[in-house]
Amino acid sequence: MSHVLAVDAGWGVTLGIKTVVVLGLIPAGALILGYTFLLKMMSHMQSRLGPMEAGPHGVLQLVADGVKFLQKEDIMPAESDRHVFAIAPAVIVMSTFLIFIVIPAGPKLVVKNLDVGVFYALAVSSLSVIGVLMAGWSSANKFALLGALRAAAQLIAYELPLLLAVVGVVAQAGTMNLQGIVGAQANGSIFGWSGIGNPFILTQFVGFGLFLVASQAELTQTPFDMPVAESELVAGYMVEYTGFRFLFFFIGEFGTAFAFAALAATLFLGGWAIPGVTNTGLMEVLGPLVLFAKLMIVAFLMFWVRFTYPRLREDQLQALAWKVLIPIGLANILVTGIFKVAF
Amino acid sequence: MSATDTPVPRLPELEVDRRAWRHLADAAVGVELDTGDMILNLGPQHPATHGTLRLVVRLDGERVLAADPVIGYMHRGYEKLTEVRSYPQITTLINRIDWLSSFANEVPFIHGAEKLMSIEAPPRAQYIRTILTELSRIATFVLFLGEMGLQVGALTPAFWGFRDREHVLNLIEAATGGRFHPNFNRIGGILDDLPWGWINETRNVMKIVIDSCDVFEDILAGNEIFEARTRSIGIIPGALGAAYGVSGSNLRASGVDWDLRRDGKPYLAYPEIDFKVWTHPDGDSWSRYWVRLQETRESALMVLQLLDQLPSGPIMAKVPRIIKVPEGEIWVETENPLGQMGYYIVSKGATGPFRVKIRSASFSNVSILPWLLRGVYVPDVITILASLYFILGDIDR
Amino acid sequence: MADEDITPSQEQSGAGDEERAERAIAETDEAAAAAQAQADADSTGAQPTTEVTADEVEGDAAPLDETESALLALLKAQLGDAIIDQADMFGTLLVRVRADAWLRAAEVAKRDLACDFLSYISGIDWQPAPREGDDVGGDSSAPVQPTEMTYGLTGSAGRFQLLAHVQSSAKHWGVTFKTDVDDASPRADSWVSVYPGADWHERECWEMFGVVFDGHPNLRHLYLPSEFEGHPLRKDFPLLARSVKPWPGLVDVEPMPGEEKKEVAATAEGGEGE
């Protein structure tokens, strides 16, 4: 687009602005999610306060952690594959970066409004598997290797339920374009009443559940955190990473959580749109805030489950994906198709 | 004699090879090297091994083919130390065998010394000792209930376990002066009487403990994922467990109905209260968790009974100023939180013992690991270690 | 402890170990020949007196109670003259067997006495520890032990003895076995074939006392590093910490509040209270 908030700019400047915004968005999103849920919500659930020192109520704790990580010594294990070791975190963060390209935050606030937006988002999110394998293998550490192999199996297995959950939404919206999906929800109606539009969570509740479970597994969060099982592998494939390389992993993990929550909010909760408000100028400003609020709700659910449940063993995890979630997803698509044709 | 006067002598007949300590990391283990399998060291620094336990496992993918525990990283040589210490000094030492329930470690030793001296502690002292032993049992079990959840991945119950244990530690500190290592027993009784208000506070804390047990039963024992991780994992047959020396809740979870508080020689105030001994037929990790959960509740009820029946009176019997235990031998065993703890004391009439053999529960509990870990997955190894509940100080002494 | 009623002797049937033990006990109570001598001294099964002076090293000065007598009779029936001595150790039966009957004792305990639980196997070195006193410049704070060698309740043939305690989880009784091992090269049979838990106990015993166990699958160090030399729990193995650094004694640096200031030690050692 060549209009950035009604300012005419050449394509180079536009590209530069978009790049900077997205690159800034990922750490910011990671920090916000990390502080709210990891530091404060988890602490309060565990009947403790969490960080209180850095900034009021510890809001600057993650900033302080970031600075701490950046000034640490860069240690590479002597027997590691140096180049692969160095590039692996970048691969993971890159796949996170690529998801943000298609997520819309307003009527025109999207980096690139691809017609195959959903397809693209799910495809690039699975690039992180390569980064995980690279990290685990190049670390020259048996624990890291165990973690990476577990992660590879798990991430590939849970791609399918993720996909099947989204197919129902696509069938109902009639398009893979994310702006189109937002529009379908905002302008839709429930049995004729268009008060709150037609958020797909109402009809695709099975899909929503599947998406949450599958994204929990894609993010290797408990109950699917075998690859980084803290009490067994002590950070699994990330165990040999220190300093700013670990910071990359951390930002990648929470940035991806941010992205998946945003995707879920867009696909199931209506995205940036408030049904009934059509003033595009207003929505350019309000849209990001609305999207932010909705994704925080989704993220709350994800992290709440993370801090409560024990973790599944690898074979139980795989059995859950292949024997339970995929059949449910297929059944969901079948029912959605029937309803779509019938109504 | 001052430290600066006489030079430190070298004992010529024993030259210890100091270079031997360098090779600790490569300690020879009895696992044959085989290509195609992976040898993994779990520990000695590892969050799942409860301390410095090293488990060398030979893996085929994620399956354990053979496991060899290497212990001794915490070996402090207690049995040798007891030979150069007097009896009151030894109570300080043995507090630190099982450090999560320190008071319970002193009890069998003091009981043995008192029997050798034919001294009987007064009833009030016996009751207070029993109450403190049960409090230390609650303290260590409540922690276990939370931290086994941590080992299988649930982050939150571990904190609740620590939080509820704090209440009990506050009680122990108020009574004895020390949270972790009270060193409160003396030959003939206990050091000091209970402070004002302690009994009411203990009653309140026992209610908290019982509520907390209900919470743990809900959030962990009844959780489907926890059950999937622990049911049928690490089954110890009762007879084999006994042959290995597995004791305490581990053996009771395999269906063996044996509790030294009820079935052994009478000690402390246990003959005077009623309590139920909990067993479970399965023998897997879930039943070990469940048995300890029930025992925690039972201990809280026992403490309430003991408080109701607490007699008044002196807390210390008439004991000579310098403790000289007459010549003799005695074997005392008690039901400690970790299992059966026993002391075999040989006295030759001096102020200190001639030989003390410390039978610690975790030593035998861990000795079954090579048999138990064959053919399990790596995550199950963690679950089994958590469910056996050993303390390194108890293994290594 | 379960006190069974004394029933008329019956033929032992092929029932389980526990029933066999019960019937055997009832049977031998009636016919007790060797047990009679001890049973006479038995009064009401109360706690025996504890006065065992240095003169009486052999024979039991304290009478055995009913359960102990019954267990002893059962052991004598199976082991016969392999039992050298026995004693009552505050309610626990202590039996000293001949060295060649060590493994047989375990089998008898497991099979006939229903003792399925192995508590521990350990050793004892009866030699008095060499006193590292003032002339050597070592530790002088340790309790003073008698210098002549005495051997406890059931006596000993020499310096080293093995001891083991087994219990019955069903019957709630226990027996402690002792045996003598050779002083110069201590050897004994391994109990691993009877009690698998003996594995680690025997490894520790070898490591600490130097007793070699025949039939043990893998006798190697348990607590100490592989290259460790010496056997620490022997009395002639010094407590190195005290030799390397002498015990400073009672050093009170901080006077109690309200009391007069005492002489503080010249060294900067932190005060060890006890």
Side-chain angles (χ1 to χ4, degrees):
Chain A
M1 64 185 209
S2 59
H3 286 264
V4 180
L5 291 178
V7 172
D8 217 348
W11 68 266
V13 176
T14 317
L15 182 64
I17 295 175
K18 290 182 200 177
T19 312
V20 165
V21 165
V22 177
L23 277 182
L25 197 65
I26 299 171
L31 284 188
I32 296 174
L33 273 189
Y35 173 73
T36 319
F37 297 118
L38 185 68
L39 294 184
K40 282 300 168 183
M41 181 176 101
M42 175 162 110
S43 313
H44 284 268
M45 281 182 177
Q46 293 167 351
S47 57
R48 56 188 178 98
L49 286 175
M52 299 289 280
E53 289 290 317
H57 280 274
V59 288
L60 296 179
Q61 177 67 34
L62 286 175
V63 176
D65 276 338
V67 173
K68 175 194 79 173
F69 278 126
L70 286 172
Q71 51 94 38
K72 277 196 189 286
E73 181 184 352
D74 178 22
I75 300 174
M76 258 197 223
E79 307 209 3
S80 68
D81 198 338
R82 308 193 80 84
H83 298 292
V84 178
F85 190 82
I87 295 175
V91 170
I92 295 178
V93 176
M94 188 173 60
S95 86
T96 308
F97 174 36
L98 288 174
I99 302 180
F100 279 95
I101 291 181
V102 287
I103 298 182
K108 295 220 189 76
L109 275 180
V110 61
V111 177
K112 189 71 186 164
N113 193 15
L114 294 174
D115 270 336
V116 289
V118 164
F119 177 75
Y120 165 84
L122 294 176
V124 297
S125 71
S126 54
L127 285 177
S128 58
V129 184
I130 303 178
V132 165
L133 275 174
M134 287 164 69
W137 180 260
S138 66
S139 292
N141 181 328
K142 286 174 187 166
F143 285 100
L145 184 63
L146 265 181
L149 294 174
R150 285 177 180 179
Q154 174 180 320
L155 294 176
I156 293 174
Y158 277 88
E159 291 287 340
L160 276 168
L162 199 65
L163 205 74
L164 296 175
V166 170
V167 169
V169 169
V170 170
Q172 205 170 341
T175 172
M176 280 205 266
N177 187 328
L178 277 164
Q179 288 281 33
I181 292 178
V182 171
Q185 291 180 78
N187 303 326
S189 55
I190 312 170
F191 298 114
W193 177 60
S194 63
I196 56 164
N198 185 17
F200 290 150
I201 189 173
L202 296 175
T203 46
Q204 292 291 319
F205 52 91
V206 173
F208 184 60
L210 268 186
F211 191 91
L212 277 187
V213 172
S215 60
Q216 196 84 350
E218 286 293 316
L219 297 167
T220 58
Q221 285 190 345
T222 331
F224 305 107
D225 73 339
M226 264 288 138
V228 288
E230 234 181 270
S231 54
E232 301 168 33
L233 307 177
V234 199
Y237 59 88
M238 296 188 272
V239 72
E240 288 287 354
Y241 282 86
T242 56
F244 71 91
R245 296 190 208 281
F246 181 76
L247 192 65
F248 264 46
F249 274 115
F250 185 80
I251 289 180
E253 180 183 339
F254 281 88
T256 316
F258 195 71
F260 270 105
L263 258 183
T266 308
L267 291 170
F268 294 97
L269 291 179
W272 55 260
I274 306 176
V277 176
T278 49
N279 184 343
T280 49
L282 181 64
M283 287 318 293
E284 295 272 9
V285 176
L286 269 188
L289 297 175
V290 171
L291 179 63
F292 182 73
K294 290 180 184 172
L295 78 86
M296 288 300 260
I297 296 173
V298 176
F300 173 75
L301 289 174
M302 281 167 34
F303 282 93
W304 191 13
V305 169
R306 175 187 176 150
F307 303 136
T308 312
Y309 281 100
R311 69 177 66 96
L312 285 171
R313 210 174 56 203
E314 190 68 17
D315 59 325
Q316 295 163 341
L317 200 157
Q318 298 282 343
L320 182 69
W322 293 98
K323 294 189 201 170
V324 177
L325 294 181
I326 291 182
I328 293 180
L330 291 171
N332 179 41
I333 296 175
L334 185 67
V335 171
T336 307
I338 292 175
F339 273 94
K340 182 85 179 169
V341 169
F343 295 101
Chain B
M1 188 196 79
S2 153
T4 50
D5 279 338
T6 42
V8 174
R10 276 204 69 81
L11 298 167
E13 61 274 10
L14 185 82
E15 294 279 340
V16 174
D17 188 352
R18 308 269 171 208
R19 289 174 295 127
W21 306 101
R22 251 197 357 237
H23 302 298
L24 267 177
D26 306 325
V29 292
V31 181
E32 300 263 359
L33 262 182
D34 201 7
T35 54
D37 301 328
M38 184 167 87
I39 295 193
L40 187 68
N41 263 316
L42 283 170
Q45 285 107 2
H46 194 276
T49 54
H50 292 260
T52 50
L53 171 72
R54 176 177 168 204
L55 205 57
V56 182
V57 294
R58 187 151 56 98
L59 294 176
D60 173 22
E62 283 236 1
R63 244 183 218 287
V64 173
L65 298 172
D68 184 28
V70 178
I71 59 176
Y73 289 91
M74 191 125 200
H75 180 62
R76 295 159 286 180
Y78 270 12
E79 296 180 7
K80 187 88 181 166
L81 283 176
T82 53
E83 295 170 6
V84 291
R85 293 268 193 283
S86 61
Y87 287 90
Q89 289 174 324
I90 292 178
T91 43
T92 321
L93 271 182
I94 57 182
N95 260 223
R96 286 146 174 86
I97 294 180
D98 166 17
W99 48 70
L100 285 182
S101 59
S102 307
F103 190 87
N105 302 139
E106 302 175 28
V107 166
F109 182 76
I110 293 289
H111 189 70
E114 285 176 356
K115 276 200 124 76
L116 281 173
M117 290 180 80
S118 313
I119 289 178
E120 180 103 8
R124 185 174 171 87
Q126 299 281 40
Y127 266 79
I128 295 180
R129 277 182 186 168
T130 319
I131 294 173
L132 285 172
T133 306
E134 289 307 311
L135 281 181
S136 52
R137 192 185 311 267
I138 294 172
T140 184
F141 278 177
V142 161
L143 179 64
F144 163 79
L145 295 176
E147 129 338 286
M148 178 148 176
L150 182 68
Q151 300 297 331
V152 297
L155 303 170
T156 313
F159 285 93
W160 298 346
F162 273 105
R163 176 197 61 191
D164 296 323
R165 179 181 146 83
E166 281 298 312
H167 296 294
V168 180
L169 287 181
N170 286 340
L171 285 178
I172 297 182
E173 186 189 9
T176 69
R179 274 157 50 102
F180 266 69
H181 300 300
N183 196 7
F184 197 55
N185 275 303
R186 299 288 180 269
I187 294 186
I190 49 178
L191 176 64
D192 204 352
D193 210 333
L194 300 172
W196 275 111
W198 195 85
I199 295 180
N200 283 335
E201 189 59 37
T202 310
R203 291 209 172 98
N204 295 338
V205 170
M206 291 303 106
K207 290 194 187 53
I208 294 177
V209 164
I210 293 176
D211 288 337
S212 152
C213 286
D214 294 333
V215 168
F216 281 116
E217 193 152 26
D218 224 356
I219 196 175
L220 272 186
N223 182 297
E224 300 85 10
I225 300 182
F226 185 81
E227 289 201 30
R229 285 296 300 275
T230 50
R231 287 250 193 219
S232 310
I233 305 289
I235 297 183
I236 300 179
L240 188 74
Y244 268 96
V246 173
S247 56
S249 315
N250 296 325
L251 201 60
R252 282 194 284 278
S254 297
V256 178
D257 188 11
W258 187 33
D259 186 328
L260 288 170
R261 292 174 291 179
R262 181 195 65 187
D263 303 323
K265 296 191 185 52
Y267 71 102
L268 292 186
Y270 292 114
E272 295 165 45
I273 52 174
D274 300 316
F275 57 96
K276 184 172 149 90
V277 172
W278 294 88
T279 60
H280 197 279
D282 283 347
D284 56 14
S285 302
W286 190 89
S287 52
R288 289 192 276 274
Y289 185 86
W290 185 89
V291 166
R292 285 195 182 96
L293 181 66
Q294 308 307 321
E295 287 184 355
T296 314
R297 246 197 293 254
E298 198 65 36
S299 288
L301 295 173
M302 283 162 78
V303 169
L304 290 173
Q305 270 185 65
L306 288 163
L307 288 174
D308 289 335
Q309 298 175 15
L310 186 63
S312 52
I315 49 159
M316 189 76 177
K318 277 243 163 287
V319 169
R321 199 164 165 273
I322 308 262
I323 306 273
K324 261 185 156 56
V325 175
E327 185 157 350
E329 300 168 48
I330 186 170
W331 159 252
V332 185
E333 64 203 4
T334 54
E335 184 76 28
N336 272 31
L338 293 179
Q340 180 203 77
M341 177 170 219
Y343 288 84
Y344 173 76
I345 307 172
V346 177
S347 164
K348 294 236 178 141
T351 52
F354 178 76
R355 162 105 171 96
V356 175
K357 158 71 190 169
I358 307 172
R359 195 269 177 196
S360 50
S362 303
F363 183 80
S364 304
N365 290 349
V366 171
S367 69
I368 202 177
L369 280 181
W371 180 88
L372 197 55
L373 291 180
R374 298 163 313 171
V376 301
Y377 289 116
V378 169
D380 294 334
V381 169
I382 310 297
T383 311
I384 292 172
L385 289 178
S387 70
L388 280 181
Y389 199 45
F390 47 85
I391 300 289
L392 256 300
D394 210 37
I395 304 179
D396 287 346
R397 285 177 260 124
Chain C
M1 289 184 292
D3 287 354
E4 278 86 23
D5 285 328
I6 302 200
T7 63
S9 56
Q10 309 160 5
E11 278 302 310
Q12 285 186 5
S13 69
D17 282 343
E18 293 158 18
E19 282 91 358
R20 248 194 316 143
E22 274 192 56
R23 292 216 191 88
I25 284 170
E27 187 179 315
T28 54
D29 255 343
E30 290 285 304
Q36 206 61 24
Q38 277 79 27
D40 280 338
D42 190 8
S43 50
T44 54
Q47 284 294 344
T49 55
T50 67
E51 292 308 313
V52 181
T53 61
D55 303 325
E56 293 180 85
V57 285
E58 269 194 289
D60 51 306
L64 302 177
D65 61 21
E66 287 174 44
T67 317
E68 289 175 330
S69 316
L71 291 171
L72 179 67
L74 213 60
L75 284 170
K76 279 205 147 99
Q78 297 288 334
L79 294 171
D81 61 344
I83 298 181
I84 303 178
D85 203 353
Q86 68 280 325
D88 162 84
M89 188 170 60
F90 291 92
T92 305
L93 177 65
L94 178 61
V95 173
R96 178 169 151 225
V97 298
R98 243 184 11 230
D100 58 345
W102 182 238
L103 183 57
R104 254 194 308 145
E107 290 165 356
V108 167
K110 186 149 196 208
R111 191 185 57 227
D112 300 312
L113 293 173
C115 285
D116 54 344
F117 181 81
L118 172 71
S119 191
Y120 69 90
I121 304 176
S122 187
I124 182 164
D125 181 355
W126 286 109
Q127 182 187 75
R131 176 110 183 114
E132 299 154 49
D134 301 291
D135 49 326
V136 192
D139 166 39
S140 62
S141 75
V144 181
Q145 301 281 354
T147 41
E148 88 252 21
M149 200 140 124
T150 52
Y151 297 107
L153 281 175
T154 48
S156 172
R159 189 180 150 195
F160 288 117
Q161 275 196 315
L162 279 184
L163 56 120
H165 187 72
V166 291
Q167 288 172 286
S168 171
S169 58
K171 294 281 151 218
H172 313 145
W173 59 53
V175 183
T176 303
F177 289 101
K178 271 192 188 178
T179 189
D180 313 315
V181 289
D182 186 35
D183 284 354
S185 65
R187 295 191 83 89
D189 290 322
S190 168
W191 276 20
V192 172
S193 51
V194 181
Y195 294 101
D199 189 341
W200 277 25
H201 290 284
E202 287 171 357
R203 273 172 70 183
E204 187 198 351
C205 209
W206 168 75
E207 175 177 63
M208 295 292 164
F209 289 98
V211 180
V212 176
F213 288 91
D214 300 317
H216 192 281
N218 202 354
L219 206 61
R220 55 191 160 99
H221 281 285
L222 186 69
Y223 282 139
L224 305 170
S226 336
E227 293 92 349
F228 196 90
E229 287 165 14
H231 300 284
L233 273 179
R234 291 189 175 186
K235 294 288 188 190
D236 49 1
F237 189 99
L239 195 59
L240 289 175
R242 292 295 174 86
S243 323
V244 165
K245 181 170 176 184
W247 184 245
L250 200 69
V251 179
D252 241 324
V253 176
E254 194 78 26
M256 292 297 289
E259 287 183 2
E260 292 186 347
K261 285 209 188 301
K262 300 183 180 155
E263 294 282 333
V264 275
T267 59
E269 296 287 347
E272 300 282 341
E274 276 255 90

